[in-house]
Amino acid sequence: MDWTFFTEVLVGGLLAGVMYSLVALGFVLIYKASGVLNFAQGAMVFFAALVFAGLGEKGLPLWLAGIATLGVMILLAMAIERLVLRPLVNQPPIALFMATIGVAFLIEGLAQGVIGAQVHSLDIGVPDVPFEIRGVNVSKFDVFSAGVAAVLVAALALFFNRTRIGRALRAVADDHQAALSVGIPLAQIWVIVWAVAGFVAMVAGILWGCRIGVQFSLTFLALKALPVLILGGFTSIPGAIVGGLIVGASEKVAEVYLGPKIGSGLENWFPYVLAVLFLLVRPEGLFGEKRIERV
C-alpha cells in the first residue's frame, strides 16, 4: 500500500470536510435557536455568494463587497424573522420547517431574478494550488479554508457559552414560552441568530464559490450537510466540525479505494449510508444532547 498516496487522500478528504462543516454550522445555529431544521440554509449560501460575486463584478473591492454582503444578509435575517418566524411563535416544529422550505424557494428565485442565473467566478487571492508538507501534497486553498473554519468555530463557541445572548439563545431553544415569560426578547434573539447564520452562509458561499463557481448547485450543499449534522449532532458546533471531518475523509477514501470495485460516484452517496448506520447506533450524534421524554 502506498502510504504517501493514502495520506494525501485522507488529508484532502479532511480539508474538504471542513468545507462541509461551514455549511453545517448554519444549520446548527438555527436549530439551537428554534429547534427546527432550516431547509433554507443552502439557499442562503447561494444567495450570499451570488450577492458577493455580483458586487465584485461591479468593481467593488473585496473587503467592501464583503461588508455590503453582510449587510444584505442581516437585512434578510430581519425580514425572515418579521414576516415568517414571528407569526409562527409556539407553533409545531413542522410548521417552521415547512416555512423554511418556502423561504428557500423564495430566496433562490429572488437571487436569480435580480442578479442573474449565469455562473459567476470568484477569486479572493488564495490560489487552489498544491504545496508539499513532508512529502504530502495539500491544497493551499483547503488549508486556508480550514483556518477560516477554525476561527469561526472558536468565535461561535465563545459566543454561545460565554455571552448573555448565547445563554438566552439556549433558553429560547428549550422552550419559547418559558423564555418569553422570563423576559427574553424572542424576536431579537431570532434576528441575531439568523444574522449570524447569514454571516456563516456568506463565508461558506464565498469559499465554495471560489472552489466550484457561484451557481445554483450551491443550494444542494445543504443536502451534503445533513450527514455531517447526523454524525456530529444537531445542537453542537464542535460536532459540526467533527462530523464534517468524518464525512469528508470517509467519502474520499471510499471513492479512491472502494470506487474501482463498486463503481464510480461513491462519494455522492456513501456519506448518507454512513449516516443511516450511525443513526442506528447513536441517533443523537457524537456531541448531540440526549432527549429524555417522560410519558
Side-chain angles (χ1 to χ4, degrees):
M1 184 175 183
D2 188 346
W3 289 104
T4 300
F5 177 70
F6 173 78
T7 304
E8 289 182 357
V9 173
L10 182 61
V11 172
L14 291 172
L15 294 175
V18 173
M19 300 281 282
Y20 298 144
S21 299
L22 287 174
V23 182
L25 280 175
F27 283 97
V28 171
L29 292 171
I30 302 300
Y31 192 85
K32 286 174 74 70
S34 61
V36 68
L37 182 67
N38 176 29
F39 193 82
Q41 188 63 30
M44 291 171 64
V45 171
F46 171 60
F47 180 77
L50 199 57
V51 171
F52 182 82
L55 293 175
E57 291 175 354
K58 297 293 185 180
L60 268 69
L62 291 179
W63 65 270
L64 185 56
I67 294 175
T69 303
L70 179 59
V72 171
M73 297 305 294
I74 292 176
L75 291 176
L76 177 66
M78 296 175 62
I80 291 174
E81 187 280 326
R82 182 65 181 88
L83 301 176
V84 179
L85 297 181
R86 192 178 298 183
L88 295 176
V89 172
N90 294 325
Q91 295 301 312
I94 187 63
L96 284 167
F97 175 70
M98 296 302 295
T100 63
I101 294 178
V103 170
F105 285 108
L106 178 62
I107 292 175
E108 293 168 7
L110 178 65
Q112 294 183 91
V114 174
I115 302 177
Q118 68 272 19
V119 178
H120 301 263
S121 61
L122 274 182
D123 182 9
I124 57 175
V126 182
D128 190 8
V129 295
F131 69 99
E132 187 175 305
I133 300 179
R134 294 187 178 183
V136 177
N137 290 320
V138 296
S139 170
K140 184 179 294 186
F141 183 82
D142 287 343
V143 172
F144 171 79
S145 300
V148 171
V151 172
L152 269 180
V153 170
L156 291 174
L158 290 174
F159 174 74
F160 284 112
N161 296 322
R162 300 299 177 88
T163 66
R164 186 176 180 180
I165 295 177
R167 291 190 291 270
L169 189 150
R170 295 200 302 272
V172 169
D174 291 336
D175 192 319
H176 295 167
Q177 194 64 38
L180 286 171
S181 67
V182 297
I184 295 177
L186 183 61
Q188 294 180 17
I189 293 297
W190 271 355
V191 168
I192 291 172
V193 76
W194 274 82
V196 175
F199 171 70
V200 174
M202 182 187 74
V203 175
I206 292 173
L207 294 177
W208 274 104
C210 293
R211 170 64 63 80
I212 64 175
V214 180
Q215 52 188 308
F216 184 75
S217 61
L218 286 177
T219 59
F220 298 115
L221 289 174
L223 300 178
K224 204 56 174 291
L226 293 180
V228 175
L229 294 169
I230 292 173
L231 268 64
F234 281 82
T235 59
S236 173
I237 292 175
I241 297 297
V242 174
L245 295 176
I246 295 174
V247 168
S250 62
E251 72 173 12
K252 294 297 182 183
V253 172
E255 175 69 22
V256 172
Y257 290 98
L258 297 180
K261 301 177 181 179
I262 299 177
S264 61
L266 189 65
E267 65 178 343
N268 293 326
W269 55 265
F270 184 82
Y272 301 99
V273 175
L274 183 64
V276 170
L277 296 176
F278 203 86
L279 282 172
L280 300 176
V281 179
R282 192 178 177 86
E284 70 275 8
L286 290 172
F287 298 90
E289 300 175 357
K290 291 186 177 181
R291 298 183 64 90
I292 300 176
E293 296 183 0
R294 296 181 179 179
V295 295

